[in-house]
Amino acid sequence: MKITVVGLGKIGLPLAVQYAKKSHTVFGADINEHTVGLVNSAIEPFPGEHLLREYLTEVSKAGLLTATTDTSEAVTRSEVVVVAVPLFIDQDAIPDFRAIESATEAIGKGLNSGTLVSFETTLPVGTTRDRLTPILEKQSGLKADEDFFVVFSPERVFTGRVFADLRKYPKLIGGIGEASATKAKEFYEAVLDFDPRNDLERPNGVWDLGGAEAAELAKLAETTYRDVNIGLANQFAKYANKIGVDIYKVIEACNSQPFSHIHQPGIAVGGHCIPVYPRLYLWNDPEATIVHAAREANASMPEHAVELLERELGPLAEKKIVILGAAYRGGVKEAAFSGVFPLVAALEKRGAQVKVHDPLYSVKELNLLGLKPFIQGGYADAAILQADHREYVTWSEQDLPGMKVLLDGRGIIDPISWPSVPVRRI
């Protein structure tokens, strides 16, 4: 097949490489000329994705993957179009559809009869059928589910292990009609391989959920579940702290039986997924009080962490505080919705002098994020571990001389390495 992947980000590029590895001809379309240039030079635009560099080199040498800024032209040469363009929300949690609508218009202008369009971007329920499909019809002059085919098929992968996750998890699809679902099932079975899963009630593979809305809801539901679960864990952690109980031992005990799956509490929930997708769900279902409460609970954790530090250290005015980790989670160079930003704001509001360290970011890159860099070995009155980078597990008092307290926001620090410094957990 000839396939166009629209959006060469941390999901789209690995998808394009995956399809090319299955010996299909792939055109990667992106509006960023720099990204397109890097891909055409077989250079990964972002670090950290396991095997991406090797696979990208392989498919580029074979002539199976080329990148372009002309989406419409690429679509004219393709039998399948996969869309991985991001959808953002504004400060009021309103979805901003401009990027994906613009991409959909470009796709529609190049759309041929018989082409399958699969949206993998996480979307509010009803978006594929009611908002995006009409754009394709208007721009192409063709009829959906008759002349061309449309499906929603959510990405379900984790940054850093995309290729492994593509094999591990069932590929969910939901067409706008039966013809679209049939085309999508044939496509994904041709570009993906699936590991056997004895824990599933039916074989791992392509699962048709019966409609685009069901597939859209499945993505929002599985991500919102995580946010709600973390919110519950954070509520338990706050109460356990009040009564002097180790919440980690409690959670371990609860999860020893099969009906409890309590997540771990933590200082912040970041990234493009968990802080965002529950809000996309709430856009459809604003009366979901449980989802509202969990989102508010998780958003309050950075402020709670600073309050804990204040109890240990006293007034924070003029205190030198270092935040360990600018990334939203360990091992990933991504600061979207990272807890570092509300932490800095809460500390500076109290008059603290705040600096940030992250092993994945250079001093220049931290400055570009609006953060003041901290150099390992410098003086600090206290530290807050925000991202669970594995490098911090090996740090000791020599790396942060003068410390009076270390607040471990991720539960990864061994207090034995800090014999003279009180280590506190969320």
Side-chain angles (χ1 to χ4, degrees):
M1 286 180 288
K2 291 182 171 62
I3 306 164
T4 291
V5 176
V6 184
L8 295 178
K10 293 187 176 181
I11 302 300
L13 181 56
L15 288 179
V17 170
Q18 167 67 28
Y19 305 155
K21 275 186 62 63
K22 296 289 286 185
S23 299
H24 302 287
T25 300
V26 182
F27 311 111
D30 200 287
I31 60 174
N32 188 314
E33 292 183 0
H34 180 64
T35 297
V36 167
L38 290 175
V39 172
N40 281 331
S41 299
I43 300 171
E44 55 179 347
F46 43 84
E49 185 58 57
H50 183 55
L51 295 176
L52 179 59
R53 181 182 304 172
E54 295 90 333
Y55 289 171
L56 177 59
T57 299
E58 176 187 328
V59 298
S60 297
K61 285 183 178 179
L64 293 172
L65 174 61
T66 55
T68 178
T69 57
D70 193 338
T71 298
S72 299
E73 194 277 333
V75 171
T76 62
R77 295 188 281 160
S78 301
E79 303 155 61
V80 179
V81 181
V82 175
V83 187
V85 175
L87 175 70
F88 300 106
I89 61 172
D90 65 17
Q91 292 182 341
D92 298 317
I94 304 300
D96 184 349
F97 293 101
R98 287 176 295 179
I100 196 163
E101 286 182 342
S102 176
T104 303
E105 289 176 359
I107 292 165
K109 290 175 182 177
L111 202 58
N112 295 317
S113 181
T115 300
L116 167 68
V117 180
S118 177
F119 291 97
E120 295 217 4
T121 302
T122 303
L123 301 170
V125 174
T127 303
T128 302
R129 187 186 305 275
D130 300 331
R131 183 182 288 265
L132 301 180
T133 298
I135 294 174
L136 294 173
E137 290 182 320
K138 179 181 178 181
Q139 294 296 329
S140 67
L142 301 173
K143 180 68 174 175
D145 210 47
E146 295 180 10
D147 302 320
F148 69 96
F149 309 97
V150 182
V151 68
F152 179 76
S153 181
E155 56 85 6
R156 307 179 74 202
V157 296
F158 205 59
T159 299
R161 63 181 196 209
V162 170
F163 296 108
D165 284 354
L166 287 173
R167 301 178 61 96
K168 184 176 182 180
Y169 304 124
K171 187 58 175 158
L172 310 182
I173 62 170
I176 62 164
E178 289 186 10
S180 293
T182 299
K183 284 282 187 180
K185 190 172 189 297
E186 293 173 352
F187 166 66
Y188 282 113
E189 287 178 342
V191 296
L192 299 177
D193 298 302
F194 297 96
D195 295 331
R197 290 275 303 275
N198 295 328
D199 59 316
L200 301 177
E201 294 184 1
R202 52 174 160 154
N204 193 8
V206 181
W207 290 9
D208 182 1
L209 298 191
E213 292 76 12
E216 289 166 335
L217 178 57
K219 174 61 178 182
L220 296 180
E222 67 184 16
T223 312
T224 300
Y225 162 79
R226 294 175 63 197
D227 197 42
V228 171
N229 198 319
I230 295 168
L232 183 62
N234 282 330
Q235 293 281 292
F236 289 157
K238 287 182 177 180
Y239 176 67
N241 185 60
K242 289 181 181 179
I243 62 174
V245 167
D246 185 337
I247 190 59
Y248 294 91
K249 290 183 179 178
V250 171
I251 292 174
E252 180 185 19
C254 292
N255 291 350
S256 66
Q257 59 97 331
F259 305 107
S260 180
H261 308 281
I262 303 171
H263 290 5
Q264 296 293 301
I267 195 167
V269 177
H272 288 291
C273 299
I274 301 181
V276 177
Y277 299 160
R279 296 192 182 279
L280 296 184
Y281 176 83
L282 288 167
W283 196 68
N284 288 116
D285 185 12
E287 297 179 1
T289 54
I290 293 174
V291 180
H292 271 295
R295 189 84 294 277
E296 291 175 3
N298 290 335
S300 72
M301 290 306 291
E303 177 71 24
H304 173 68
V306 173
E307 290 173 358
L308 291 179
L309 182 66
E310 203 167 25
R311 290 179 208 166
E312 294 288 334
L313 197 61
L316 300 180
E318 302 303 321
K319 293 290 194 305
K320 298 181 186 298
I321 312 296
V322 57
I323 299 173
L324 301 178
Y328 78 89
R329 69 173 171 88
V332 174
K333 192 177 181 180
E334 175 60 70
F337 295 94
S338 171
V340 72
F341 302 110
L343 278 173
V344 169
L347 289 166
E348 290 184 340
K349 182 177 68 175
R350 291 165 169 80
Q353 300 176 20
V354 188
K355 292 186 177 181
V356 178
H357 177 274
D358 194 298
L360 303 183
Y361 287 82
S362 68
V363 167
K364 181 180 179 181
E365 289 170 329
L366 289 173
N367 283 325
L368 289 173
L369 290 173
L371 305 171
K372 297 176 183 177
F374 176 84
I375 305 302
Q376 184 177 355
Y379 175 84
D381 291 302
I384 302 176
L385 188 140
Q386 191 280 138
D388 51 344
H389 292 308
R390 61 186 179 185
E391 289 86 349
Y392 294 139
V393 176
T394 63
W395 276 34
S396 64
E397 295 179 14
Q398 289 71 38
D399 298 291
L400 289 167
M403 286 266 293
K404 300 176 181 66
V405 61
L406 170 58
L407 179 63
D408 179 6
R410 301 294 180 181
I412 67 168
I413 297 299
D414 185 351
I416 293 176
S417 300
W418 302 81
S420 303
V421 178
V423 176
R424 300 289 182 259
R425 280 179 162 183
I426 294 294

